[in-house]
Amino acid sequence: MLLEKTGEIVTKRGYRIANLDTTIVAQQPKLAPYIEAMTRNIAETLKIDRDQVNVKAGTTERLGFAGREEGIAAYAVVLIQAK
């Protein structure tokens, strides 16, 4: 719901999402089997092409809270352009 609302705000303000790059940091679970589904779901939610979305996953090699399996971190960089 947060992603959908954010996409609506961007569109209403006269912008479009050019591309989106995300990184998910988690020791467990292994996310490789889910990357394609996550990419598809993000693209559908934002009403953009799948080619505009990049999702990748990694670990911190057991360092920090994510490495100790106390949580998961996510980072996103989005390029928006005026319509």
Side-chain angles (χ1 to χ4, degrees):
M1 289 173 25
L2 178 61
L3 181 62
E4 184 176 18
K5 181 65 174 171
T6 302
E8 289 171 2
I9 291 169
V10 168
T11 301
K12 285 180 184 175
R13 300 264 171 113
Y15 295 92
R16 69 175 200 87
I17 296 172
N19 62 50
L20 176 136
D21 184 69
T22 61
T23 303
I24 303 165
V25 180
Q27 200 65 38
Q28 290 291 330
K30 298 300 179 199
L31 297 174
Y34 307 102
I35 297 291
E36 184 57 35
M38 287 188 278
T39 301
R40 182 181 63 248
N41 289 337
I42 291 168
E44 288 175 4
T45 299
L46 293 173
K47 298 175 180 70
I48 60 176
D49 289 340
R50 291 169 71 181
D51 292 343
Q52 293 172 266
V53 179
N54 182 43
V55 177
K56 54 191 174 295
T59 69
T60 59
E61 302 299 326
R62 304 230 175 258
L63 297 174
F65 75 92
R68 292 189 303 269
E69 299 181 26
E70 295 172 351
I72 293 174
Y75 306 95
V77 177
V78 181
L79 175 63
I80 59 172
Q81 297 174 325
K83 287 185 180 179

Coordinates of all heavy atoms in Angstrom, one line a residue:
M1 N 0.8 -1.2 0.0 CA 0.0 0.0 0.0 C 0.9 1.3 0.0 O 0.5 2.2 -0.7 CB -0.9 0.0 1.2 CG -2.0 -1.1 1.1 SD -3.1 -1.4 2.5 CE -3.1 0.1 3.5
L2 N 2.0 1.2 0.7 CA 2.9 2.4 0.8 C 3.5 2.7 -0.6 O 3.5 3.8 -1.1 CB 4.0 2.2 1.8 CG 5.0 3.3 1.9 CD1 4.4 4.6 2.3 CD2 6.1 2.9 2.9
L3 N 3.9 1.6 -1.3 CA 4.5 1.8 -2.6 C 3.4 2.3 -3.6 O 3.7 3.2 -4.4 CB 5.0 0.4 -3.1 CG 5.7 0.5 -4.5 CD1 6.9 1.4 -4.5 CD2 6.1 -1.0 -4.9
E4 N 2.2 1.8 -3.5 CA 1.2 2.2 -4.4 C 0.9 3.7 -4.2 O 0.8 4.5 -5.1 CB -0.1 1.4 -4.2 CG -1.2 1.7 -5.1 CD -2.4 0.8 -4.9 OE1 -2.5 0.1 -3.9 OE2 -3.2 0.7 -5.9
K5 N 0.7 4.1 -3.0 CA 0.4 5.5 -2.6 C 1.6 6.4 -3.1 O 1.3 7.5 -3.6 CB 0.2 5.6 -1.1 CG -0.2 7.0 -0.7 CD -1.5 7.5 -1.2 CE -1.9 8.8 -0.6 NZ -3.0 9.4 -1.3
T6 N 2.8 6.0 -2.9 CA 4.0 6.8 -3.3 C 4.0 7.0 -4.8 O 4.2 8.1 -5.3 CB 5.3 6.1 -2.8 OG1 5.2 6.0 -1.4 CG2 6.5 6.9 -3.2
G7 N 3.7 5.9 -5.5 CA 3.6 6.0 -7.0 C 2.5 7.0 -7.4 O 2.7 7.7 -8.4
E8 N 1.4 7.0 -6.7 CA 0.3 7.9 -7.1 C 0.7 9.3 -6.8 O 0.4 10.2 -7.6 CB -1.0 7.6 -6.2 CG -1.6 6.3 -6.6 CD -2.7 5.8 -5.6 OE1 -3.0 6.6 -4.6 OE2 -3.3 4.8 -5.8
I9 N 1.4 9.6 -5.7 CA 1.8 11.0 -5.4 C 2.8 11.5 -6.5 O 2.7 12.6 -7.0 CB 2.5 11.0 -4.1 CG1 1.5 10.8 -3.0 CG2 3.3 12.3 -3.8 CD1 2.1 10.6 -1.6
V10 N 3.7 10.6 -6.9 CA 4.7 11.0 -8.0 C 3.9 11.4 -9.3 O 4.2 12.4 -9.9 CB 5.7 9.8 -8.2 CG1 6.5 10.1 -9.5 CG2 6.6 9.6 -7.1
T11 N 3.0 10.5 -9.6 CA 2.2 10.8 -10.9 C 1.4 12.1 -10.8 O 1.4 12.9 -11.7 CB 1.3 9.6 -11.2 OG1 2.1 8.4 -11.3 CG2 0.5 9.8 -12.4
K12 N 0.7 12.2 -9.6 CA -0.2 13.4 -9.4 C 0.7 14.7 -9.5 O 0.1 15.8 -9.8 CB -0.9 13.3 -8.1 CG -2.1 12.4 -8.2 CD -2.8 12.3 -6.9 CE -3.9 11.2 -6.9 NZ -4.5 11.0 -5.6
R13 N 1.9 14.7 -9.1 CA 2.8 15.8 -9.1 C 3.4 16.1 -10.4 O 4.2 17.0 -10.5 CB 3.9 15.7 -8.0 CG 3.3 15.5 -6.6 CD 3.3 16.8 -5.8 NE 2.7 16.7 -4.6 CZ 3.2 16.8 -3.4 NH1 4.5 17.0 -3.3 NH2 2.5 16.7 -2.3
G14 N 3.1 15.3 -11.4 CA 3.5 15.6 -12.8 C 4.9 14.9 -13.1 O 5.5 15.3 -14.1
Y15 N 5.2 13.8 -12.4 CA 6.4 13.1 -12.7 C 6.1 11.7 -13.1 O 5.0 11.2 -12.9 CB 7.3 13.1 -11.4 CG 7.8 14.4 -11.1 CD1 7.1 15.2 -10.1 CD2 9.0 15.0 -11.6 CE1 7.6 16.5 -9.8 CE2 9.5 16.2 -11.2 CZ 8.7 17.0 -10.3 OH 9.2 18.2 -10.0
R16 N 7.1 11.0 -13.6 CA 7.0 9.6 -13.9 C 8.3 8.9 -13.4 O 9.3 9.5 -13.3 CB 6.8 9.3 -15.4 CG 8.1 9.7 -16.2 CD 7.9 9.3 -17.7 NE 9.1 9.1 -18.4 CZ 9.9 8.0 -18.4 NH1 9.5 7.0 -17.8 NH2 11.0 8.0 -19.0
I17 N 8.1 7.6 -13.1 CA 9.3 6.8 -12.6 C 10.0 6.3 -13.8 O 9.5 5.6 -14.7 CB 8.8 5.7 -11.7 CG1 8.2 6.3 -10.5 CG2 10.0 4.8 -11.4 CD1 7.5 5.2 -9.6
A18 N 11.3 6.8 -14.0 CA 12.1 6.3 -15.1 C 12.7 4.9 -14.8 O 12.7 4.1 -15.6 CB 13.2 7.3 -15.3
N19 N 13.2 4.8 -13.6 CA 13.7 3.4 -13.2 C 13.8 3.4 -11.7 O 13.8 4.4 -11.0 CB 15.1 3.1 -13.9 CG 16.2 4.0 -13.5 OD1 16.4 4.3 -12.3 ND2 16.8 4.5 -14.5
L20 N 13.9 2.2 -11.2 CA 14.0 1.9 -9.7 C 15.0 0.8 -9.5 O 15.0 -0.2 -10.2 CB 12.6 1.5 -9.3 CG 12.4 1.1 -7.8 CD1 11.2 1.7 -7.3 CD2 12.4 -0.4 -7.7
D21 N 15.9 1.0 -8.6 CA 16.9 0.0 -8.2 C 16.8 -0.3 -6.7 O 17.0 0.7 -5.9 CB 18.3 0.5 -8.6 CG 19.4 -0.5 -8.4 OD1 19.4 -1.5 -9.1 OD2 20.2 -0.3 -7.4
T22 N 16.6 -1.5 -6.4 CA 16.5 -1.9 -5.0 C 17.5 -2.9 -4.6 O 17.9 -3.8 -5.4 CB 15.1 -2.4 -4.7 OG1 14.9 -3.6 -5.4 CG2 14.0 -1.4 -5.0
T23 N 17.9 -2.9 -3.3 CA 18.8 -3.9 -2.8 C 18.1 -4.3 -1.4 O 17.8 -3.5 -0.6 CB 20.2 -3.3 -2.5 OG1 20.7 -2.8 -3.7 CG2 21.1 -4.4 -1.9
I24 N 18.0 -5.6 -1.3 CA 17.5 -6.2 0.0 C 18.7 -6.9 0.6 O 19.3 -7.7 0.0 CB 16.3 -7.1 -0.3 CG1 15.2 -6.4 -1.0 CG2 15.8 -7.7 1.1 CD1 14.2 -7.3 -1.6
V25 N 18.9 -6.6 1.9 CA 20.0 -7.1 2.7 C 19.4 -8.1 3.7 O 18.7 -7.6 4.6 CB 20.9 -6.1 3.3 CG1 22.1 -6.7 4.1 CG2 21.4 -5.1 2.3
A26 N 19.7 -9.4 3.6 CA 19.2 -10.4 4.5 C 20.1 -11.6 4.5 O 20.5 -12.0 3.5 CB 17.8 -10.8 4.2
Q27 N 20.4 -12.1 5.7 CA 21.2 -13.3 5.8 C 20.3 -14.5 5.4 O 20.7 -15.4 4.7 CB 21.8 -13.4 7.2 CG 22.9 -14.4 7.3 CD 24.2 -13.9 6.6 OE1 24.5 -12.7 6.6 NE2 24.9 -14.8 6.0
Q28 N 19.1 -14.4 5.9 CA 18.1 -15.5 5.6 C 16.8 -14.8 5.5 O 16.5 -13.7 6.1 CB 18.0 -16.5 6.8 CG 19.2 -17.4 6.9 CD 19.3 -18.4 5.8 OE1 18.3 -18.8 5.2 NE2 20.5 -18.8 5.5
P29 N 15.9 -15.2 4.7 CA 16.0 -16.3 3.8 C 16.7 -16.0 2.5 O 17.0 -14.8 2.2 CB 14.5 -16.6 3.4 CG 13.9 -15.3 3.5 CD 14.6 -14.5 4.6
K30 N 17.1 -17.0 1.8 CA 17.7 -16.7 0.5 C 16.6 -16.2 -0.5 O 15.6 -16.8 -0.6 CB 18.4 -18.0 -0.1 CG 19.5 -18.5 0.8 CD 20.6 -17.5 0.9 CE 21.7 -18.1 1.8 NZ 22.5 -17.0 2.3
L31 N 16.9 -15.1 -1.1 CA 15.8 -14.4 -1.8 C 15.9 -14.6 -3.3 O 14.9 -14.2 -4.0 CB 15.9 -12.9 -1.6 CG 15.6 -12.5 -0.1 CD1 15.9 -11.0 0.1 CD2 14.2 -12.9 0.3
A32 N 16.9 -15.2 -3.8 CA 17.1 -15.4 -5.3 C 15.8 -16.0 -5.9 O 15.4 -15.6 -7.0 CB 18.3 -16.3 -5.6
P33 N 15.1 -17.0 -5.3 CA 14.0 -17.6 -6.0 C 12.8 -16.6 -6.1 O 11.8 -16.8 -6.8 CB 13.6 -18.8 -5.1 CG 14.8 -19.1 -4.3 CD 15.5 -17.8 -4.1
Y34 N 12.8 -15.5 -5.3 CA 11.7 -14.6 -5.3 C 12.0 -13.3 -6.1 O 11.1 -12.4 -6.2 CB 11.4 -14.2 -3.8 CG 11.2 -15.5 -3.0 CD1 12.2 -15.9 -2.2 CD2 10.0 -16.2 -3.1 CE1 12.0 -17.1 -1.4 CE2 9.8 -17.4 -2.4 CZ 10.8 -17.8 -1.5 OH 10.7 -18.9 -0.8
I35 N 13.2 -13.1 -6.6 CA 13.5 -11.8 -7.2 C 12.6 -11.5 -8.4 O 12.1 -10.4 -8.5 CB 15.0 -11.8 -7.7 CG1 15.9 -12.0 -6.5 CG2 15.3 -10.6 -8.5 CD1 16.0 -10.8 -5.6
E36 N 12.3 -12.4 -9.2 CA 11.5 -12.2 -10.4 C 10.1 -11.8 -10.0 O 9.5 -10.9 -10.5 CB 11.4 -13.4 -11.3 CG 10.6 -13.2 -12.6 CD 11.1 -12.0 -13.4 OE1 12.4 -11.8 -13.5 OE2 10.3 -11.3 -14.0
A37 N 9.5 -12.5 -9.0 CA 8.2 -12.1 -8.5 C 8.2 -10.8 -7.9 O 7.2 -10.0 -8.1 CB 7.7 -13.2 -7.5
M38 N 9.2 -10.4 -7.1 CA 9.3 -9.1 -6.5 C 9.3 -8.0 -7.6 O 8.7 -7.0 -7.5 CB 10.4 -9.0 -5.6 CG 10.2 -9.7 -4.3 SD 11.5 -9.4 -3.1 CE 12.8 -10.6 -3.6
T39 N 10.2 -8.3 -8.6 CA 10.3 -7.3 -9.7 C 8.9 -7.1 -10.4 O 8.5 -6.0 -10.7 CB 11.3 -7.8 -10.8 OG1 12.6 -8.0 -10.1 CG2 11.5 -6.9 -11.9
R40 N 8.3 -8.2 -10.7 CA 6.9 -8.1 -11.4 C 5.9 -7.4 -10.5 O 5.2 -6.5 -11.0 CB 6.4 -9.5 -11.7 CG 5.1 -9.5 -12.4 CD 4.6 -11.0 -12.6 NE 4.4 -11.7 -11.4 CZ 5.1 -12.7 -11.0 NH1 6.1 -13.2 -11.7 NH2 4.8 -13.3 -9.8
N41 N 5.9 -7.7 -9.2 CA 4.9 -7.0 -8.3 C 5.2 -5.5 -8.2 O 4.3 -4.7 -8.1 CB 5.0 -7.7 -6.9 CG 4.3 -9.1 -6.9 OD1 3.5 -9.4 -7.8 ND2 4.7 -9.9 -6.0
I42 N 6.5 -5.1 -8.1 CA 6.8 -3.7 -8.0 C 6.4 -3.0 -9.3 O 5.8 -1.9 -9.2 CB 8.3 -3.5 -7.7 CG1 8.6 -4.0 -6.3 CG2 8.7 -2.1 -7.9 CD1 10.1 -4.1 -6.0
A43 N 6.7 -3.6 -10.4 CA 6.4 -3.0 -11.7 C 4.8 -2.8 -11.8 O 4.3 -1.8 -12.2 CB 6.9 -3.8 -12.8
E44 N 4.1 -3.8 -11.5 CA 2.6 -3.8 -11.6 C 2.1 -2.8 -10.6 O 1.2 -2.0 -11.0 CB 2.0 -5.2 -11.3 CG 2.3 -6.2 -12.4 CD 1.8 -7.6 -12.1 OE1 1.2 -7.8 -11.0 OE2 2.0 -8.5 -12.9
T45 N 2.6 -2.7 -9.4 CA 2.1 -1.7 -8.4 C 2.3 -0.3 -8.9 O 1.5 0.6 -8.7 CB 2.7 -2.0 -7.1 OG1 2.4 -3.3 -6.6 CG2 2.3 -1.0 -6.0
L46 N 3.5 -0.1 -9.5 CA 3.8 1.3 -9.9 C 3.4 1.6 -11.3 O 3.6 2.7 -11.8 CB 5.3 1.5 -9.8 CG 5.9 1.5 -8.4 CD1 7.4 1.6 -8.4 CD2 5.3 2.7 -7.6
K47 N 2.8 0.6 -12.0 CA 2.3 0.7 -13.4 C 3.5 1.2 -14.3 O 3.3 2.1 -15.1 CB 1.1 1.7 -13.4 CG -0.1 1.2 -12.6 CD -1.1 2.3 -12.6 CE -2.3 1.8 -11.8 NZ -2.1 1.7 -10.4
I48 N 4.6 0.5 -14.2 CA 5.7 0.7 -15.1 C 6.2 -0.6 -15.7 O 5.8 -1.7 -15.2 CB 6.9 1.4 -14.3 CG1 7.4 0.6 -13.2 CG2 6.5 2.8 -13.9 CD1 8.6 1.1 -12.4
D49 N 7.0 -0.6 -16.7 CA 7.6 -1.8 -17.3 C 8.5 -2.5 -16.3 O 9.2 -1.9 -15.6 CB 8.3 -1.5 -18.6 CG 7.4 -1.0 -19.7 OD1 6.2 -1.3 -19.6 OD2 7.9 -0.4 -20.6
R50 N 8.5 -3.8 -16.5 CA 9.5 -4.6 -15.6 C 10.9 -4.3 -15.9 O 11.8 -4.4 -15.0 CB 9.2 -6.1 -15.9 CG 7.9 -6.6 -15.3 CD 7.5 -7.9 -15.8 NE 8.3 -8.9 -15.2 CZ 8.2 -10.2 -15.4 NH1 7.3 -10.6 -16.3 NH2 8.9 -11.1 -14.8
D51 N 11.2 -3.8 -17.1 CA 12.6 -3.4 -17.5 C 13.0 -2.2 -16.7 O 14.2 -1.9 -16.7 CB 12.7 -3.1 -19.0 CG 12.5 -4.4 -19.8 OD1 12.6 -5.5 -19.3 OD2 12.3 -4.2 -21.0
Q52 N 12.1 -1.5 -16.1 CA 12.5 -0.3 -15.4 C 12.8 -0.6 -13.9 O 13.1 0.3 -13.1 CB 11.3 0.7 -15.4 CG 11.1 1.3 -16.8 CD 9.8 2.1 -16.8 OE1 8.8 1.6 -17.2 NE2 10.0 3.4 -16.5
V53 N 12.6 -1.8 -13.5 CA 12.8 -2.2 -12.1 C 13.9 -3.2 -12.0 O 14.0 -4.2 -12.7 CB 11.5 -2.9 -11.6 CG1 11.7 -3.4 -10.1 CG2 10.3 -2.0 -11.7
N54 N 14.8 -3.0 -11.0 CA 15.9 -3.9 -10.7 C 15.8 -4.2 -9.2 O 15.8 -3.3 -8.4 CB 17.3 -3.3 -11.1 CG 18.4 -4.2 -10.8 OD1 18.3 -5.4 -11.1 ND2 19.5 -3.7 -10.2
V55 N 15.8 -5.5 -8.9 CA 15.8 -6.0 -7.6 C 16.9 -6.9 -7.4 O 17.1 -7.8 -8.2 CB 14.5 -6.7 -7.2 CG1 14.5 -7.2 -5.8 CG2 13.3 -5.8 -7.4
K56 N 17.7 -6.7 -6.4 CA 18.8 -7.6 -6.1 C 18.9 -7.8 -4.6 O 18.3 -7.0 -3.8 CB 20.2 -7.0 -6.6 CG 20.5 -5.7 -6.2 CD 21.7 -5.2 -7.0 CE 22.0 -3.7 -6.7 NZ 21.0 -2.8 -7.1
A57 N 19.5 -8.9 -4.2 CA 19.6 -9.2 -2.8 C 21.1 -9.5 -2.4 O 21.9 -10.0 -3.3 CB 18.7 -10.4 -2.5
G58 N 21.4 -9.3 -1.2 CA 22.8 -9.6 -0.7 C 22.8 -9.9 0.8 O 21.7 -9.7 1.5
T59 N 23.9 -10.2 1.3 CA 24.1 -10.4 2.7 C 25.2 -9.4 3.2 O 25.8 -8.8 2.4 CB 24.5 -11.8 3.1 OG1 25.9 -12.0 2.6 CG2 23.6 -12.9 2.5
T60 N 25.3 -9.4 4.5 CA 26.4 -8.6 5.1 C 27.5 -9.5 5.7 O 28.3 -9.1 6.5 CB 25.8 -7.7 6.2 OG1 25.2 -8.5 7.2 CG2 24.8 -6.7 5.7
E61 N 27.5 -10.7 5.2 CA 28.5 -11.7 5.6 C 28.5 -11.8 7.1 O 29.6 -11.8 7.7 CB 29.9 -11.3 5.1 CG 29.9 -11.2 3.5 CD 29.6 -12.5 2.8 OE1 30.0 -13.6 3.3 OE2 29.0 -12.4 1.7
R62 N 27.3 -11.9 7.7 CA 27.1 -12.1 9.1 C 27.5 -10.9 10.0 O 27.6 -11.0 11.2 CB 27.8 -13.4 9.6 CG 27.4 -14.6 8.9 CD 27.0 -15.7 9.8 NE 26.6 -16.9 9.1 CZ 25.3 -17.2 9.0 NH1 24.4 -16.4 9.5 NH2 24.9 -18.2 8.3
L63 N 27.6 -9.7 9.4 CA 27.9 -8.5 10.1 C 26.7 -7.7 10.4 O 25.7 -7.7 9.6 CB 28.9 -7.6 9.4 CG 30.3 -8.2 9.1 CD1 31.1 -7.3 8.2 CD2 31.0 -8.5 10.4
G64 N 26.6 -7.0 11.5 CA 25.5 -6.2 11.8 C 24.2 -6.9 12.1 O 24.2 -8.2 12.2
F65 N 23.1 -6.2 12.3 CA 21.8 -6.8 12.7 C 21.3 -7.7 11.6 O 20.7 -8.8 11.9 CB 20.8 -5.7 13.1 CG 20.2 -5.0 11.9 CD1 19.0 -5.5 11.3 CD2 20.8 -3.9 11.4 CE1 18.5 -4.8 10.2 CE2 20.2 -3.2 10.3 CZ 19.1 -3.7 9.7
A66 N 21.5 -7.4 10.4 CA 21.0 -8.3 9.3 C 21.8 -9.5 9.2 O 21.3 -10.6 9.0 CB 21.1 -7.5 7.9
G67 N 23.1 -9.4 9.5 CA 24.0 -10.6 9.5 C 23.7 -11.5 10.6 O 23.9 -12.7 10.6
R68 N 23.3 -10.9 11.8 CA 22.9 -11.8 12.9 C 21.5 -12.3 12.8 O 21.0 -12.9 13.8 CB 23.1 -10.9 14.2 CG 24.5 -10.6 14.5 CD 24.6 -9.9 15.9 NE 23.8 -8.7 16.1 CZ 24.2 -7.5 15.8 NH1 25.4 -7.3 15.4 NH2 23.4 -6.4 16.0
E69 N 20.8 -12.0 11.7 CA 19.4 -12.4 11.4 C 18.4 -11.8 12.4 O 17.4 -12.4 12.7 CB 19.3 -14.0 11.4 CG 20.2 -14.6 10.3 CD 20.1 -16.1 10.3 OE1 19.0 -16.7 10.7 OE2 21.1 -16.7 9.8
E70 N 18.7 -10.6 12.8 CA 17.8 -9.8 13.7 C 16.9 -8.9 12.9 O 16.0 -8.3 13.4 CB 18.6 -9.0 14.6 CG 19.5 -9.8 15.6 CD 20.4 -8.9 16.4 OE1 20.5 -7.7 16.1 OE2 21.0 -9.5 17.3
G71 N 17.1 -8.9 11.6 CA 16.2 -8.1 10.7 C 16.7 -8.1 9.3 O 17.7 -8.7 8.9
I72 N 16.0 -7.3 8.5 CA 16.3 -7.2 7.0 C 16.3 -5.7 6.7 O 15.5 -5.0 7.2 CB 15.2 -7.9 6.2 CG1 15.2 -9.4 6.4 CG2 15.4 -7.6 4.7 CD1 14.1 -10.2 5.8
A73 N 17.2 -5.3 5.9 CA 17.3 -3.9 5.4 C 17.0 -3.9 3.9 O 17.2 -4.8 3.2 CB 18.7 -3.4 5.7
A74 N 16.5 -2.7 3.5 CA 16.2 -2.5 2.1 C 16.5 -1.1 1.7 O 16.3 -0.2 2.5 CB 14.7 -2.8 1.8
Y75 N 17.1 -1.0 0.5 CA 17.5 0.3 0.0 C 16.9 0.5 -1.4 O 16.9 -0.5 -2.1 CB 19.0 0.4 -0.1 CG 19.7 0.1 1.2 CD1 20.2 -1.1 1.5 CD2 19.9 1.1 2.2 CE1 20.8 -1.4 2.7 CE2 20.5 0.8 3.4 CZ 21.0 -0.4 3.6 OH 21.6 -0.7 4.8
A76 N 16.5 1.7 -1.7 CA 15.9 1.9 -3.0 C 16.4 3.3 -3.5 O 16.4 4.2 -2.8 CB 14.4 1.9 -3.0
V77 N 16.7 3.3 -4.8 CA 17.1 4.5 -5.5 C 16.1 4.6 -6.7 O 16.0 3.7 -7.5 CB 18.6 4.5 -6.0 CG1 18.8 5.8 -6.8 CG2 19.5 4.4 -4.8
V78 N 15.5 5.7 -6.8 CA 14.5 5.9 -7.9 C 14.8 7.2 -8.7 O 15.0 8.2 -8.1 CB 13.0 6.0 -7.3 CG1 12.0 6.1 -8.4 CG2 12.7 4.8 -6.4
L79 N 14.8 7.0 -10.0 CA 15.0 8.2 -10.9 C 13.6 8.6 -11.3 O 12.9 7.8 -11.9 CB 15.9 7.9 -12.0 CG 16.0 9.0 -13.1 CD1 16.7 10.2 -12.5 CD2 16.8 8.5 -14.3
I80 N 13.2 9.8 -11.0 CA 11.9 10.3 -11.5 C 12.2 11.5 -12.5 O 13.2 12.2 -12.3 CB 11.0 10.8 -10.4 CG1 11.6 11.9 -9.5 CG2 10.6 9.6 -9.5 CD1 10.6 12.5 -8.5
Q81 N 11.3 11.6 -13.5 CA 11.5 12.6 -14.5 C 10.1 13.3 -14.6 O 9.1 12.8 -14.5 CB 11.8 12.0 -15.9 CG 13.1 11.2 -15.9 CD 13.4 10.5 -17.2 OE1 12.5 10.0 -17.8 NE2 14.6 10.5 -17.6
A82 N 10.3 14.6 -15.0 CA 9.1 15.4 -15.3 C 8.4 14.8 -16.5 O 9.1 14.4 -17.5 CB 9.4 16.9 -15.5
K83 N 7.1 14.8 -16.5 CA 6.4 14.3 -17.7 C 6.5 15.3 -18.9 O 6.6 16.4 -18.7 CB 4.9 14.1 -17.4 CG 4.7 12.9 -16.5 CD 3.2 12.6 -16.3 CE 3.0 11.4 -15.4 NZ 1.6 11.2 -15.2

